[in-house]
Amino acid sequence: MRYLRWLTSGESHGKGLLGIMDGLPAGVPISEDEIATDLRRRQQGHGRGKRMAIERDRAEIYGGVRHGLTLGSPVGLIIPNKDWVNWQSKMSSSPVDDPPPPVTLPRPGHADLAGIKKYGQTDIRNVLERSSARETAMRVALGALARKLLLELGITVGSRVTSIHEIVDTATPEMDPVKMNEVADASPVRCIDEAASSAMVAAITQAMEDGDSLGGTFEVVAAGLPYGLGSPMQWDLKLKARLSAAVMSINGIEGVEMGIGFAGTRREGSAFHDEIVPTDDGEGVTRASNHVGGIEGGMSNAQPVIVRAAMKPIPTLRKPLRSVDIATGEPGLAHKERTDSCVVPAAAVIGESMVCLVIADALLEKFGGDSLDQVKAHMAASAQY
Ligand code: EPS
């Protein structure tokens, strides 16, 4: 991200998470309560483990905001880990007299094995702490800042879960993103269809009882984009490339598609492409469908952007898989940690955050200004819908 730059720091059981965002224009209204709303949404979902009962994620604004408005300076956020009280010695930044025994049985599917080899570690905890999805709490907090900017510019972003394990929500809702979130947030698995929701809950409960985990798919929708965010001129400027990289970076994501994605390959071109038709008032053009998901030639085409993603089942299992002890070379069973059973509902919220961050970056690239008023003026002068 070139215009809205951000970084996170923090370990899962360390003191907390830090985030810094640079490039947000001055004058964007933002409050800790608004950030907390998205953080709360990320913590929900049937299938979360005991950790979520401990944490009450809330980001404290450390810099960049005064009297409810951004200053144009870097925004700094801190989310303290409530669980830190239980880990102060085990995760102390200073040497301790009684270090805990090292974790030596890598979990298949986690960062454990590749991480210890890469960083030359002998204790898997030195890898798993940062590769934990705990880090995504800060992404959601930073995403809430981007979401506020987008909201001021008429762009909304929502999500829903479309499948968990073998249960598919076949609903094809004609909903704007805000309505989609309203309905999804009322479901314990963030899906639209009530029967599918109950079946998903039952499947997750079964997996929890079995000490197993489940994956699934979700969809993120962004509406209100003008033409031309992103660019066809270089590969790394294409909006589709930027969105897929961002969503693919979420822990556990194994696939990303746009619009009807892979299913579209089973259609002829004539049944795939979205015909250009006059608007109802006859004053402009719109599309008869949106199979491609709002991006053509690497640019937004003023239709809703639709990003879908597939998440693998969580690799930490109470019924562990085979592994080999890195200290002794002896075969054993993978390390067991307290864990979640299914986090697809949370991943959908994280997906929204990543999409907000990328679209805000692309928007500042095209219409950038030092203040919100300037960005609005630049859009009013040249944005095409
Ligand atoms: C995670 C393991 C669990 C999850 C955690 C991700 O944490 P713990 O080991 O403390 O029980 O709850 O997710 C979060 C803490 C979070 O905020 O989403 C893992 O191994 O990746």
Side-chain angles (χ1 to χ4, degrees):
M1 299 205 1
R2 297 190 305 164
Y3 294 83
L4 200 61
R5 299 180 302 147
W6 53 274
L7 284 173
T8 71
S9 165
E11 277 68 45
S12 182
H13 303 98
K15 276 190 183 171
L17 300 164
L18 307 181
I20 292 188
M21 175 178 281
D22 195 25
L24 207 55
V28 180
I30 192 76
S31 72
E32 289 181 356
D33 284 345
E34 283 163 333
I35 302 173
T37 303
D38 276 346
L39 287 173
R40 188 83 204 118
R41 293 175 62 233
R42 191 199 72 95
Q43 287 200 272
Q44 303 302 308
H46 186 59
R48 299 310 301 266
K50 294 206 168 56
R51 177 76 186 273
M52 285 305 100
I54 297 172
E55 302 298 341
R56 286 281 173 279
D57 289 338
R58 189 172 173 90
E60 189 178 343
I61 299 174
Y62 251 61
V65 180
R66 182 167 186 243
H67 299 164
L69 297 174
T70 55
L71 296 169
S73 50
V75 176
L77 301 177
I78 291 185
I79 302 175
N81 284 334
K82 287 209 182 322
D83 207 16
W84 166 242
V85 290
N86 304 313
W87 289 80
Q88 290 191 40
S89 166
K90 282 180 277 188
M91 287 299 293
S92 165
S93 58
S94 317
V96 291
D97 294 335
D98 54 341
V103 179
T104 55
L105 282 154
R107 293 160 296 174
H110 221 288
D112 300 357
L113 185 57
I116 47 164
K117 300 276 188 199
K118 177 174 169 66
Y119 292 96
Q121 298 287 357
T122 51
D123 183 354
I124 291 168
R125 182 155 307 284
N126 289 341
V127 171
L128 72 83
E129 283 289 332
R130 179 63 184 163
S131 63
S132 159
R134 176 79 192 137
E135 183 264 348
T136 61
M138 184 49 78
R139 297 203 215 181
V140 169
L142 295 169
L145 307 177
R147 188 193 295 273
K148 272 316 290 285
L149 172 68
L150 296 181
L151 204 56
E152 289 289 325
L153 304 170
I155 297 171
T156 52
V157 179
S159 71
R160 65 181 182 120
V161 167
T162 41
S163 72
I164 285 181
H165 195 226
E166 287 182 343
I167 300 138
V168 180
D169 181 354
T170 50
T172 47
E174 289 283 319
M175 284 178 187
D176 68 63
V178 173
K179 179 77 188 156
M180 179 177 277
N181 272 352
E182 229 173 82
V183 179
D185 286 346
S187 150
V189 283
R190 301 202 74 256
C191 91
I192 302 292
D193 182 71
E194 282 182 27
S197 181
S198 309
M200 288 176 188
V201 168
I204 295 169
T205 303
Q206 187 62 53
M208 285 162 101
E209 282 167 14
D210 296 346
D212 222 321
S213 64
L214 298 181
T217 58
F218 63 84
E219 170 180 292
V220 179
V221 181
L225 282 75
Y227 282 100
L229 300 190
S231 164
M233 299 306 177
Q234 296 289 356
W235 68 273
D236 58 340
L237 299 181
K238 292 181 181 232
L239 189 60
K240 203 158 47 177
R242 291 151 75 172
L243 284 169
S244 11
V247 173
M248 197 65 140
S249 78
I250 300 168
N251 310 45
I253 300 302
E254 298 295 325
V256 177
E257 54 180 17
M258 302 284 154
I260 60 171
F262 283 21
T265 61
R266 297 196 287 272
R267 293 176 178 232
E268 291 80 25
S270 55
F272 180 93
H273 295 292
D274 305 307
E275 286 183 301
I276 302 168
V277 295
T279 49
D280 287 345
D281 62 10
E283 303 222 330
V285 295
T286 185
R287 299 304 178 106
S289 56
N290 185 23
H291 299 141
V292 80
I295 301 173
E296 288 168 319
M299 296 168 285
S300 58
N301 67 1
Q303 297 299 305
V305 165
I306 302 170
V307 187
R308 295 203 168 99
M311 175 175 238
K312 68 184 177 185
I314 285 176
T316 310
L317 301 173
R318 276 191 297 108
K319 191 178 67 180
L321 296 174
R322 285 182 300 166
S323 183
V324 173
D325 193 307
I326 54 161
T328 64
E330 291 296 318
L333 292 177
H335 167 65
K336 276 197 272 187
E337 289 244 326
R338 178 182 61 186
T339 186
D340 307 303
S341 307
C342 179
V343 286
V344 183
V349 176
I350 304 160
E352 280 177 45
S353 308
M354 295 308 290
V355 166
C356 284
L357 288 160
V358 170
I359 293 178
D361 181 57
L363 198 126
L364 290 171
E365 172 180 88
K366 182 155 173 59
F367 301 107
D370 296 311
S371 71
L372 178 60
D373 284 348
Q374 288 168 19
V375 180
K376 281 184 176 169
H378 296 160
M379 283 187 81
S382 66
Q384 301 277 318
Y385 290 92

